Amino acid sequence: MLPRIGLAIIFVLLFLPLSAEEILLEENISETDTISYTVHEIAKTDIENWIKKNRIDTRESVFSTAPIHLDLGDLYHNCYFYLGRTNLPMPERNGFETFSGIFSPALYHGSFNTLYPVKKYQRTVNYTNRTYPFAPVLTSVDAGLGDYDHHYARINFVKNELFSYSELEYQGDLLAQNGFWSDITSAETAMKHRLSRKGKLFNWEAEYASWKKDIAMNDLLPFYWQLTNFKIDYELQQIYAELGIPWVKLKFLQESETASAREFYETYKRKSTRVQISSEQKFGFGQYQTLYEHNWNKDDKYFCGFYDEEEYEDKLALAFKIDNPLEIDLSGDWLDWKRGRLFADIAYSLQNFEAGVTYKQLLGKDPSSLKGKDIFNSSGELELIDISIPREVSVQFSYNLWNIKPLIAVGSKEIKQKADSTWFNLEKQQPFMRLAMDANFTWKNWQLIARPEWVISKYYQNLTESPEYRFQSVQQIKYHLPYDNSVVAGCGIYGHSGYYIANAVNPSLIEASTILDVWAGFDISNYFELRAGIKNALSSAIYGAYSVPTSLYVQVLWLYLN
């Protein structure tokens, strides 16, 4: 192992910049477009502009900020309750991939989206923090109540110049919610404490986050689903630290996950400790990043690699990006010195027209045992339907007219599905078409914001987890009034055609379904908004679960600057 680790460190060091002076320019780069302010330069309008730019609308789809050509899967939500499918890519947290044994990626997307407002998109979704660059304390309270005992409160507290130290920032988050969700009475408590400081020679960050919640059976991978729904007590804790110096960035993540249920024969446990070293360098109109990561995994006996999920000890990665005017985004990973992943996203813009290509490929994927550890029986194994997409390619075209950007993408996926039963064994090229639009159109005092997305795929009867079509669309219309006031109304539509779940013992049919949410409300200045609406107006199930019966709700967002 030592020679391999040494090779990885040399790999990173070879790409380190030759002088600290060039790297110090990175202090002017921020993915949240924040600016370095001193306490004497702060104006209220600066803070209000920051609030406008960084405010997140919880009624929008979770991936509403993603590039329109990326298909990141299906995830439905009601405030901070989430429900999704296993076609979601496993998310990242501050550049660390999420490992899982028995749970669907939807569980982690929902948890991270609750506390981390910034998302970076490439092969998957990387959840991280934004920097609040002002000394005055900004407090936000997002609270609501609805039918079926649904009520919640999320409080966020941010302050820079803590204890009068320049660039010393604290962020605190707390969420408490309960109510009927996914056919159970659910409850959740989540919190985050983050302390960071940016300096001229180095930056540092320390953070603790935890989630404790009641979840339903549908948050498990589908081959763990039973005929009767049940409740699971779930807890996830993360300790994260980061140190950035002119030549390199060091990261640390310790993670602990537990779950218990009356139906489990033992408490599920998973632990990991990870260290990552990386270097990022800009050059002219582009940048590159090199990375090495080592993991110490414990209690990983339930890992199965379903839907190309990964678990590894060593990872080498290289990413390359240019933007002028040809946009090229390339990345590659080499895992455990024997298998890899490639991702390429290339686009060219000519005035309002844009064309692009997206390509993904797996190299040397480990063969599945087609058996999964049984969480319900100490001596049992569950038959696994293993689904893999070794290669996917698509070509997309879009045109921007008056801030209305329609897109069409066509492509093909190489799908391999394996199981002990010959009925489920197949290898197919699955063509698909994706239709989407990103609209932010303004006319006089009216503003239309819409993000409809449709994916249509060739249907194979014995291919599980693959509906012929799936869709989601969230749209709002605002009428702007003087003094930053506005009236707003909107609706959200989510749905899919029928498909079979990847459960070899009980391959249940998930019937076609559509969910409709509607709401209306008003905004008062930049600091207060009120919404009232109807959730699940059609009283439908979705993704194999009944989210919530038709219900009324009221939601308030209040920001206080002190």
Side-chain angles (χ1 to χ4, degrees):
M1 181 60 66
L2 285 177
R4 289 177 173 177
I5 293 178
L7 176 63
I9 295 175
I10 292 173
F11 172 79
V12 174
L13 292 176
L14 285 176
F15 288 93
L16 291 178
L18 298 179
S19 68
E21 182 179 356
E22 294 178 349
I23 288 221
L24 291 176
L25 296 175
E26 289 290 322
E27 295 178 5
N28 299 320
I29 301 168
S30 172
E31 57 216 4
T32 55
D33 297 318
T34 55
I35 305 172
S36 187
Y37 288 86
T38 68
V39 69
H40 305 292
E41 297 172 336
I42 295 173
K44 187 176 181 180
T45 55
D46 294 327
I47 301 178
E48 290 183 346
N49 289 334
W50 186 91
I51 291 173
K52 287 181 183 179
K53 188 175 186 64
N54 292 280
R55 177 180 289 182
I56 295 176
D57 191 336
T58 58
R59 285 154 297 276
E60 294 284 352
S61 63
V62 174
F63 306 129
S64 61
T65 58
I68 190 174
H69 66 278
L70 293 182
D71 179 15
L72 295 166
D74 305 319
L75 191 62
Y76 172 70
H77 66 108
N78 178 15
C79 299
Y80 298 101
F81 283 131
Y82 298 85
L83 184 61
R85 293 184 54 235
T86 54
N87 67 330
L88 292 157
M90 195 60 80
E92 295 182 351
R93 264 275 294 112
N94 282 335
F96 286 99
E97 293 188 41
T98 302
F99 296 157
S100 173
I102 64 176
F103 293 109
S104 165
L107 174 64
Y108 303 104
H109 279 280
S111 298
F112 297 160
N113 193 68
T114 295
L115 298 182
Y116 298 96
V118 176
K119 305 180 187 71
K120 297 170 64 179
Y121 301 94
Q122 196 193 50
R123 179 185 55 82
T124 182
V125 186
N126 182 23
Y127 293 85
T128 184
N129 294 286
R130 68 163 55 98
T131 296
Y132 176 73
F134 307 103
V137 175
L138 178 63
T139 305
S140 66
V141 178
D142 182 8
L145 55 89
D147 292 334
Y148 301 95
D149 295 324
H150 182 205
H151 46 273
Y152 76 92
R154 182 184 184 277
I155 302 173
N156 172 256
F157 175 96
V158 291
K159 176 176 173 55
N160 211 317
E161 309 282 351
L162 188 65
F163 305 125
S164 299
Y165 285 98
S166 175
E167 300 294 341
L168 181 61
E169 180 191 3
Y170 170 77
Q171 295 185 12
D173 288 270
L174 174 65
L175 168 68
Q177 69 172 341
N178 54 35
F180 185 88
W181 185 253
S182 297
D183 270 333
I184 66 169
T185 301
S186 182
E188 176 179 3
T189 302
M191 68 174 68
K192 178 186 72 178
H193 300 280
R194 175 178 178 261
L195 192 66
S196 64
R197 189 175 187 185
K198 291 186 176 181
K200 292 184 178 180
L201 294 179
F202 67 91
N203 307 323
W204 60 265
E205 176 181 345
E207 177 186 287
Y208 170 79
S210 69
W211 298 263
K212 189 173 183 179
K213 59 176 81 176
D214 299 326
I215 60 176
M217 175 192 70
N218 56 276
D219 279 314
L220 295 169
L221 292 174
F223 59 88
Y224 287 109
W225 288 17
Q226 304 293 295
L227 295 177
T228 304
N229 194 17
F230 57 90
K231 183 186 292 187
I232 303 169
D233 295 326
Y234 174 82
E235 185 171 3
L236 174 65
Q237 298 184 61
Q238 292 184 336
I239 299 174
Y240 173 77
E242 177 183 316
L243 175 65
I245 57 177
W247 299 275
V248 72
K249 182 178 290 186
L250 299 173
K251 295 181 180 180
F252 168 87
L253 179 67
Q254 188 174 69
E255 190 173 48
S256 173
E257 183 179 45
T258 61
S260 61
R262 288 184 300 177
E263 290 75 8
F264 293 177
Y265 83 89
E266 67 173 357
T267 298
Y268 168 78
K269 297 179 181 179
R270 180 183 65 83
K271 296 182 179 180
S272 67
T273 301
R274 313 183 213 181
V275 176
Q276 191 179 100
I277 177 172
S278 65
S279 174
E280 184 173 324
Q281 175 64 22
K282 289 184 68 69
F283 59 93
F285 48 81
Q287 64 184 30
Y288 65 84
Q289 181 188 52
T290 57
L291 178 149
Y292 170 72
E293 178 183 324
H294 184 75
N295 304 315
W296 294 267
N297 302 311
K298 295 182 180 179
D299 300 320
D300 58 351
K301 60 184 178 182
Y302 289 96
F303 175 75
C304 64
F306 177 76
Y307 230 111
D308 295 328
E309 292 178 9
E310 279 289 357
E311 186 178 64
Y312 52 82
E313 292 185 358
D314 296 284
K315 172 182 175 180
L316 284 175
L318 176 64
F320 175 81
K321 186 175 183 179
I322 65 172
D323 184 5
N324 188 33
L326 181 67
E327 299 179 12
I328 300 177
D329 193 349
L330 306 174
S331 66
D333 303 328
W334 191 242
L335 309 177
D336 285 337
W337 319 101
K338 60 183 179 180
R339 63 188 186 278
R341 298 175 300 201
L342 297 175
F343 177 86
D345 191 357
I346 302 173
Y348 180 77
S349 299
L350 181 63
Q351 294 182 346
N352 294 329
F353 176 78
E354 183 176 293
V357 177
T358 301
Y359 181 81
K360 306 175 187 177
Q361 183 168 352
L362 302 181
L363 304 172
K365 181 180 184 293
D366 279 351
S368 172
S369 66
L370 302 182
K371 297 291 183 180
K373 176 68 176 175
D374 192 346
I375 192 65
F376 308 105
N377 189 329
S378 61
S379 60
E381 288 184 321
L382 295 175
E383 184 178 345
L384 171 66
I385 298 178
D386 183 53
I387 304 172
S388 177
I389 304 177
R391 185 181 297 105
E392 178 181 341
V393 61
S394 64
V395 180
Q396 58 265 353
F397 305 93
S398 63
Y399 189 82
N400 192 339
L401 180 64
W402 302 320
N403 268 351
I404 300 176
K405 184 179 181 180
L407 174 138
I408 180 171
V410 292
S412 178
K413 297 179 182 179
E414 178 187 343
I415 296 183
K416 294 183 178 181
Q417 180 175 276
K418 296 181 180 180
D420 286 340
S421 172
T422 56
W423 169 254
F424 294 113
N425 278 322
L426 65 95
E427 294 187 17
K428 295 289 186 180
Q429 289 289 337
Q430 185 183 46
F432 64 88
M433 179 172 64
R434 184 165 182 268
L435 304 174
M437 183 177 70
D438 192 0
N440 191 346
F441 176 72
T442 301
W443 179 73
K444 295 185 178 180
N445 290 342
W446 296 92
Q447 182 183 14
L448 171 66
I449 303 170
R451 179 99 178 206
E453 303 176 28
W454 278 75
V455 178
I456 304 169
S457 305
K458 185 174 181 179
Y459 181 72
Y460 300 100
Q461 186 178 3
N462 54 340
L463 179 59
T464 62
E465 303 294 335
S466 183
E468 184 177 5
Y469 62 85
R470 50 191 179 85
F471 56 89
Q472 59 181 3
S473 178
V474 178
Q475 42 277 318
Q476 299 190 85
I477 187 167
K478 283 188 177 184
Y479 184 77
H480 292 277
L481 301 168
Y483 307 109
D484 290 318
N485 300 325
S486 62
V487 180
V488 61
C491 67
I493 304 172
Y494 298 77
H496 56 81
S497 62
Y499 64 95
Y500 288 91
I501 65 170
N503 188 310
V505 177
N506 183 30
S508 302
L509 172 65
I510 305 300
E511 296 182 349
S513 181
T514 300
I515 272 190
L516 171 65
D517 302 330
V518 295
W519 61 86
F522 56 85
D523 301 333
I524 300 178
S525 72
N526 294 305
Y527 297 95
F528 182 85
E529 67 177 45
L530 174 69
R531 300 288 187 270
I534 301 174
K535 204 71 183 175
N536 196 7
L538 303 179
S539 191
S540 305
I542 192 169
Y543 312 143
Y546 190 54
S547 59
V548 65
T550 302
S551 54
L552 301 175
Y553 73 95
V554 178
Q555 183 178 2
V556 174
L557 175 64
W558 176 63
L559 291 91
Y560 179 70
L561 189 62
N562 185 13

